[in-house]
Amino acid sequence: MKKTILITMLGLSITASAQNPIIQTHYTADPAPMVKGDTLFVYADVDEPKANFFWMYQWRVYSTTDMVNWTDHGELLGLNSFSWADDRAWATQCCERDGKYYWYICAHSKLSGGMAIGVAVSDSPTGPFKDAIGHPLYDDGKWDNIDPTVLMDGKNAYLVWGNPEIHQAKLADNMTSFDGEVSIIRQDEKSFGAPSPAFRKKEIKYKDIYVEGPWLAKHNKNYYLLYSAGGVPEHIAYSMSRKPQGPWIYKGIIMPQKNETNSFTNHCGIIDFKGHNYFFYHTGNLPGGGGFDRSIAVEEFKYNKDGTIPIIFPTREGVKPTDTLNPFQKVKASTIAWEKGLTTEQNLKAGVYMTDIQNGDWMKVREVNFSSQPKKINISAASASQGGTIELHADSISGKMIATINIPSTGGWESFSNFSTNTLIPVIGVHDLFFVFHGQKGRKLMNFSWWEMEK
């Protein structure tokens, strides 16, 4: 998916200082954040370029330790991971229980002809994942069964999903079956702004309408159910409760729909990380983007004193860094803050790597902490053409050149070799690091796997 550096968002031109959307190498949607230790993971589904519907086939995982550099862990689940699924790899969420990771998905079921809820399991937040039970967790042949959200609340786990009805169930301890029956949450004006679909009247303008994309969360002693609302185009609204399964009280709109997102859908997830509160959502603001080619973004917010959530508006600036990046260790090339022109691919040996690199393309890594003077840089790259050159610049595309390294042909696009060069100038302190690629115009130059500095 080739890109240009200029993106129009909110009537402004995005430059190298932009942070939203946080993923630029693929069209991603329906963000589901999860925290493990000092790392925040985002589980996402993927829109295909130039789509005219939600034809979606894979789920990817991204992670960060600093909120500005994001590592692409690749396609960790796909429709082919579930023998019963054949289309529409839509919204998901993952959670941990007793050292295992349960990833709840929805997809079209070839067993029933409707949408169904499934679950995959792994010993790691980045897989490998496999279908945990070999059949859908819930499949009643209806199209309601989309957008599962899961909440671990002490020793109890709860699952919520649905469009336009809201389904809920308590999960059993094994996380792959239900503890009790699946029930439908009764909607009314007090709880969600409008009655359940069967009881709505066309002549009445309700204060809001639940649509889809629920997100179940807890903060302090309050429970939150966030959701896409209002019809098309969607905004984000929420309800609160003192119990994980309600009763719910409608609280209002969180992210209004004013077309800043360039997407007629929205889907959110909220999470606390390193003492900060974050709101994830999606837009259509990448080049070529729109309602069927979306892109994940994030904003920081603070809960009001009474526990309610303030109104949050989309920005191009995104959030501030929470940490720095250590360059004196192997860093995957798929760990970036921003890029121009690149995408990622993966294989079993190299993992995820940067590809589609052409003359003039670049990528930025933010908040790189040169605690000592680097004397050498090592790079792993591959080329089946005549290769090219990688320049390393400090703080901007045309900033001081730290190093330049020639990448020759390695005999194949996945024949990765290691290359080293000495740094040209001293650099100390925290800087943004730009990798700028040069070579023959109009053709692919190389693939880029990882880099590291030496003191």
Short mmCIF file of all heavy atoms in Angstrom, two decimals, residues 413-445:
data_model
loop_
_atom_site.label_atom_id
_atom_site.label_comp_id
_atom_site.label_asym_id
_atom_site.label_seq_id
_atom_site.Cartn_x
_atom_site.Cartn_y
_atom_site.Cartn_z
N TRP A 413 14.65 -11.55 -2.14
CA TRP A 413 13.93 -10.61 -1.27
C TRP A 413 13.87 -11.09 0.18
O TRP A 413 13.68 -10.28 1.09
CB TRP A 413 12.53 -10.37 -1.80
CG TRP A 413 12.50 -9.61 -3.10
CD1 TRP A 413 11.99 -10.04 -4.28
CD2 TRP A 413 13.01 -8.30 -3.33
NE1 TRP A 413 12.15 -9.08 -5.25
CE2 TRP A 413 12.77 -8.00 -4.70
CE3 TRP A 413 13.65 -7.35 -2.54
CZ2 TRP A 413 13.15 -6.79 -5.28
CZ3 TRP A 413 14.03 -6.14 -3.12
CH2 TRP A 413 13.78 -5.87 -4.47
N GLU A 414 14.01 -12.38 0.44
CA GLU A 414 14.00 -12.89 1.81
C GLU A 414 15.34 -13.49 2.20
O GLU A 414 15.45 -14.19 3.21
CB GLU A 414 12.88 -13.91 1.97
CG GLU A 414 11.49 -13.28 1.81
CD GLU A 414 10.36 -14.22 2.12
OE1 GLU A 414 10.60 -15.45 2.19
OE2 GLU A 414 9.23 -13.74 2.32
N SER A 415 16.39 -13.19 1.40
CA SER A 415 17.76 -13.63 1.74
C SER A 415 18.43 -12.52 2.54
O SER A 415 19.23 -11.73 2.03
CB SER A 415 18.54 -13.93 0.46
OG SER A 415 17.95 -14.98 -0.26
N PHE A 416 18.08 -12.46 3.83
CA PHE A 416 18.57 -11.36 4.66
C PHE A 416 20.04 -11.56 5.03
O PHE A 416 20.47 -12.67 5.37
CB PHE A 416 17.73 -11.26 5.93
CG PHE A 416 16.37 -10.67 5.69
CD1 PHE A 416 15.26 -11.49 5.47
CD2 PHE A 416 16.18 -9.30 5.66
CE1 PHE A 416 14.01 -10.96 5.22
CE2 PHE A 416 14.93 -8.75 5.43
CZ PHE A 416 13.84 -9.58 5.20
N SER A 417 20.80 -10.46 4.95
CA SER A 417 22.20 -10.44 5.35
C SER A 417 22.42 -9.27 6.30
O SER A 417 21.64 -8.31 6.32
CB SER A 417 23.12 -10.28 4.12
OG SER A 417 23.00 -11.39 3.25
N ASN A 418 23.48 -9.36 7.10
CA ASN A 418 23.81 -8.31 8.05
C ASN A 418 24.85 -7.37 7.48
O ASN A 418 25.83 -7.81 6.86
CB ASN A 418 24.31 -8.92 9.36
CG ASN A 418 23.25 -9.79 10.03
OD1 ASN A 418 22.06 -9.67 9.74
ND2 ASN A 418 23.68 -10.65 10.94
N PHE A 419 24.65 -6.07 7.72
CA PHE A 419 25.58 -5.05 7.24
C PHE A 419 25.90 -4.10 8.39
O PHE A 419 25.05 -3.86 9.25
CB PHE A 419 24.96 -4.27 6.08
CG PHE A 419 24.53 -5.16 4.93
CD1 PHE A 419 23.23 -5.66 4.87
CD2 PHE A 419 25.42 -5.51 3.94
CE1 PHE A 419 22.83 -6.47 3.82
CE2 PHE A 419 25.03 -6.34 2.89
CZ PHE A 419 23.73 -6.82 2.83
N SER A 420 27.12 -3.57 8.41
CA SER A 420 27.56 -2.68 9.49
C SER A 420 28.28 -1.48 8.92
O SER A 420 28.89 -1.55 7.84
CB SER A 420 28.49 -3.42 10.45
OG SER A 420 27.83 -4.51 11.06
N THR A 421 28.23 -0.39 9.65
CA THR A 421 29.00 0.80 9.30
C THR A 421 29.25 1.61 10.55
O THR A 421 28.51 1.50 11.54
CB THR A 421 28.27 1.65 8.25
OG1 THR A 421 29.15 2.66 7.76
CG2 THR A 421 27.04 2.32 8.84
N ASN A 422 30.28 2.43 10.53
CA ASN A 422 30.59 3.32 11.65
C ASN A 422 29.75 4.59 11.55
O ASN A 422 29.35 5.01 10.45
CB ASN A 422 32.07 3.68 11.65
CG ASN A 422 32.95 2.48 11.91
OD1 ASN A 422 32.57 1.56 12.64
ND2 ASN A 422 34.15 2.47 11.33
N THR A 423 29.45 5.19 12.69
CA THR A 423 28.72 6.45 12.69
C THR A 423 29.62 7.58 12.22
O THR A 423 30.85 7.52 12.37
CB THR A 423 28.16 6.75 14.08
OG1 THR A 423 29.23 6.74 15.04
CG2 THR A 423 27.13 5.72 14.49
N LEU A 424 29.02 8.62 11.66
CA LEU A 424 29.77 9.72 11.07
C LEU A 424 29.97 10.88 12.03
O LEU A 424 30.97 11.59 11.95
CB LEU A 424 29.04 10.23 9.82
CG LEU A 424 28.83 9.20 8.70
CD1 LEU A 424 27.97 9.81 7.61
CD2 LEU A 424 30.17 8.75 8.16
N ILE A 425 29.02 11.10 12.92
CA ILE A 425 29.09 12.23 13.85
C ILE A 425 28.68 11.76 15.24
O ILE A 425 27.98 10.76 15.38
CB ILE A 425 28.17 13.38 13.41
CG1 ILE A 425 26.70 12.92 13.39
CG2 ILE A 425 28.60 13.95 12.06
CD1 ILE A 425 25.70 14.04 13.22
N PRO A 426 29.09 12.47 16.28
CA PRO A 426 28.63 12.11 17.63
C PRO A 426 27.18 12.49 17.84
O PRO A 426 26.70 13.50 17.32
CB PRO A 426 29.56 12.94 18.53
CG PRO A 426 30.00 14.08 17.70
CD PRO A 426 30.08 13.57 16.30
N VAL A 427 26.45 11.66 18.56
CA VAL A 427 25.07 11.95 18.90
C VAL A 427 24.80 11.44 20.30
O VAL A 427 25.06 10.29 20.62
CB VAL A 427 24.09 11.32 17.87
CG1 VAL A 427 24.31 9.82 17.74
CG2 VAL A 427 22.65 11.62 18.25
N ILE A 428 24.32 12.33 21.17
CA ILE A 428 24.03 12.01 22.56
C ILE A 428 22.67 12.58 22.92
O ILE A 428 22.27 13.63 22.42
CB ILE A 428 25.12 12.59 23.49
CG1 ILE A 428 26.44 11.84 23.32
CG2 ILE A 428 24.70 12.52 24.96
CD1 ILE A 428 26.43 10.42 23.87
N GLY A 429 21.96 11.91 23.82
CA GLY A 429 20.67 12.40 24.27
C GLY A 429 19.52 11.74 23.54
O GLY A 429 19.68 10.74 22.83
N VAL A 430 18.33 12.30 23.71
CA VAL A 430 17.12 11.73 23.12
C VAL A 430 16.81 12.43 21.81
O VAL A 430 16.68 13.66 21.76
CB VAL A 430 15.92 11.84 24.09
CG1 VAL A 430 14.66 11.30 23.44
CG2 VAL A 430 16.22 11.09 25.39
N HIS A 431 16.69 11.65 20.74
CA HIS A 431 16.43 12.19 19.41
C HIS A 431 15.43 11.30 18.69
O HIS A 431 15.31 10.11 18.98
CB HIS A 431 17.71 12.24 18.56
CG HIS A 431 18.78 13.14 19.12
ND1 HIS A 431 18.90 14.47 18.78
CD2 HIS A 431 19.79 12.88 20.01
CE1 HIS A 431 19.92 14.99 19.42
NE2 HIS A 431 20.47 14.05 20.17
N ASP A 432 14.73 11.87 17.71
CA ASP A 432 14.00 11.07 16.75
C ASP A 432 14.99 10.60 15.70
O ASP A 432 15.89 11.35 15.30
CB ASP A 432 12.88 11.87 16.09
CG ASP A 432 11.76 12.20 17.05
OD1 ASP A 432 11.70 11.59 18.14
OD2 ASP A 432 10.93 13.07 16.72
N LEU A 433 14.83 9.36 15.24
CA LEU A 433 15.77 8.77 14.28
C LEU A 433 15.02 8.46 12.99
O LEU A 433 14.02 7.75 12.99
CB LEU A 433 16.37 7.49 14.87
CG LEU A 433 17.47 6.79 14.07
CD1 LEU A 433 18.67 7.71 13.89
CD2 LEU A 433 17.89 5.50 14.78
N PHE A 434 15.53 9.01 11.88
CA PHE A 434 14.92 8.82 10.57
C PHE A 434 15.79 7.91 9.71
O PHE A 434 17.00 8.14 9.58
CB PHE A 434 14.74 10.16 9.85
CG PHE A 434 13.63 11.01 10.41
CD1 PHE A 434 13.80 11.71 11.60
CD2 PHE A 434 12.41 11.11 9.75
CE1 PHE A 434 12.78 12.50 12.12
CE2 PHE A 434 11.39 11.89 10.26
CZ PHE A 434 11.57 12.59 11.44
N PHE A 435 15.17 6.88 9.13
CA PHE A 435 15.81 6.02 8.16
C PHE A 435 15.30 6.45 6.78
O PHE A 435 14.09 6.32 6.51
CB PHE A 435 15.47 4.55 8.41
CG PHE A 435 16.03 4.00 9.71
CD1 PHE A 435 15.42 4.29 10.93
CD2 PHE A 435 17.14 3.18 9.70
CE1 PHE A 435 15.91 3.78 12.11
CE2 PHE A 435 17.65 2.66 10.88
CZ PHE A 435 17.05 2.96 12.09
N VAL A 436 16.18 6.94 5.94
CA VAL A 436 15.80 7.46 4.63
C VAL A 436 16.43 6.55 3.56
O VAL A 436 17.63 6.26 3.60
CB VAL A 436 16.26 8.91 4.44
CG1 VAL A 436 15.76 9.46 3.10
CG2 VAL A 436 15.75 9.78 5.59
N PHE A 437 15.63 6.13 2.60
CA PHE A 437 16.05 5.13 1.61
C PHE A 437 16.26 5.79 0.24
O PHE A 437 15.43 6.58 -0.22
CB PHE A 437 15.01 4.01 1.51
CG PHE A 437 14.70 3.37 2.83
CD1 PHE A 437 13.62 3.80 3.59
CD2 PHE A 437 15.51 2.35 3.33
CE1 PHE A 437 13.33 3.21 4.82
CE2 PHE A 437 15.23 1.76 4.56
CZ PHE A 437 14.14 2.19 5.30
N HIS A 438 17.38 5.43 -0.40
CA HIS A 438 17.70 5.96 -1.72
C HIS A 438 18.14 4.84 -2.65
O HIS A 438 18.69 3.83 -2.20
CB HIS A 438 18.81 7.02 -1.63
CG HIS A 438 18.41 8.24 -0.87
ND1 HIS A 438 17.51 9.15 -1.35
CD2 HIS A 438 18.81 8.71 0.35
CE1 HIS A 438 17.35 10.12 -0.47
NE2 HIS A 438 18.13 9.88 0.58
N GLY A 439 17.90 5.03 -3.94
CA GLY A 439 18.32 4.06 -4.94
C GLY A 439 17.67 4.34 -6.26
O GLY A 439 17.17 5.46 -6.51
N GLN A 440 17.65 3.36 -7.12
CA GLN A 440 17.08 3.53 -8.45
C GLN A 440 15.58 3.85 -8.34
O GLN A 440 14.85 3.20 -7.62
CB GLN A 440 17.30 2.26 -9.26
CG GLN A 440 18.77 1.97 -9.53
CD GLN A 440 19.01 0.60 -10.11
OE1 GLN A 440 18.17 -0.30 -9.97
NE2 GLN A 440 20.16 0.41 -10.75
N LYS A 441 15.17 4.86 -9.09
CA LYS A 441 13.79 5.33 -9.00
C LYS A 441 12.81 4.37 -9.68
O LYS A 441 13.13 3.75 -10.68
CB LYS A 441 13.69 6.71 -9.65
CG LYS A 441 14.51 7.79 -8.95
CD LYS A 441 14.37 9.13 -9.66
CE LYS A 441 15.20 10.19 -8.95
NZ LYS A 441 15.10 11.50 -9.64
N GLY A 442 11.64 4.27 -9.09
CA GLY A 442 10.56 3.54 -9.72
C GLY A 442 10.56 2.04 -9.51
O GLY A 442 9.75 1.33 -10.11
N ARG A 443 11.45 1.53 -8.64
CA ARG A 443 11.48 0.08 -8.41
C ARG A 443 11.75 -0.19 -6.93
O ARG A 443 12.27 0.65 -6.20
CB ARG A 443 12.54 -0.59 -9.27
CG ARG A 443 13.96 -0.21 -8.92
CD ARG A 443 15.00 -0.77 -9.88
NE ARG A 443 14.83 -2.19 -10.13
CZ ARG A 443 15.83 -3.01 -10.46
NH1 ARG A 443 17.07 -2.56 -10.56
NH2 ARG A 443 15.60 -4.28 -10.69
N LYS A 444 11.37 -1.37 -6.51
CA LYS A 444 11.63 -1.80 -5.14
C LYS A 444 13.12 -1.96 -4.92
O LYS A 444 13.83 -2.53 -5.76
CB LYS A 444 10.90 -3.12 -4.86
CG LYS A 444 11.09 -3.67 -3.46
CD LYS A 444 10.28 -4.95 -3.27
CE LYS A 444 10.54 -5.60 -1.92
NZ LYS A 444 9.75 -6.83 -1.72
N LEU A 445 13.61 -1.46 -3.77
CA LEU A 445 15.04 -1.48 -3.48
C LEU A 445 15.44 -2.62 -2.56
O LEU A 445 16.45 -3.29 -2.80
CB LEU A 445 15.45 -0.16 -2.82
CG LEU A 445 15.17 1.12 -3.61
CD1 LEU A 445 15.58 2.34 -2.79
CD2 LEU A 445 15.87 1.10 -4.95
#
